[in-house]
Amino acid sequence: DELLLHACHSMHLPLTDVQRQLLQAYVTHMERWNRTYNLTAIRALPQMLVQHIFDSLAVVKPLATVLAAASITSPRIYDIGSGAG
């Protein structure tokens, strides 16, 4: 919880309680299903946060800045090629 809050603060991303809960639930599910289906080689929770959550959140602020500068109000953003194959 502290690691997530610290990372979001460092990236200047506001994080609501609901968003925090959803991100934590996501990591919990990923951790659970990783044991069953080997979704990722990363097993340690802090490492999962860094490489799966923080890396994804790192693009939010720069992307929002570019979209705002281009006056794009309803962007469509696709994540292609992520996931376990």
Side-chain angles (χ1 to χ4, degrees):
D1 201 37
E2 278 299 311
L3 192 57
L4 178 60
L5 293 173
H6 177 72
C8 287
H9 179 74
S10 296
M11 291 184 269
H12 306 288
L13 293 175
L15 188 67
T16 68
D17 286 339
V18 171
Q19 290 168 324
R20 180 185 48 78
Q21 290 169 356
L22 289 170
L23 286 170
Q24 288 175 323
Y26 179 80
V27 172
T28 299
H29 285 294
M30 187 169 40
E31 198 175 27
R32 175 181 176 223
W33 290 107
N34 195 37
R35 288 189 298 269
T36 304
Y37 293 109
N38 193 31
L39 300 174
T40 175
I42 300 166
R43 303 277 185 241
L45 181 59
Q47 225 180 345
M48 287 178 112
L49 283 169
V50 170
Q51 293 188 302
H52 293 297
I53 302 301
F54 303 161
D55 281 0
S56 296
L57 292 175
V59 73
V60 172
K61 196 73 163 179
L63 189 56
T65 302
V66 168
L67 293 172
S71 299
I72 299 173
T73 56
S74 298
R76 290 184 184 201
I77 300 170
Y78 299 91
D79 180 3
I80 300 173
S82 66

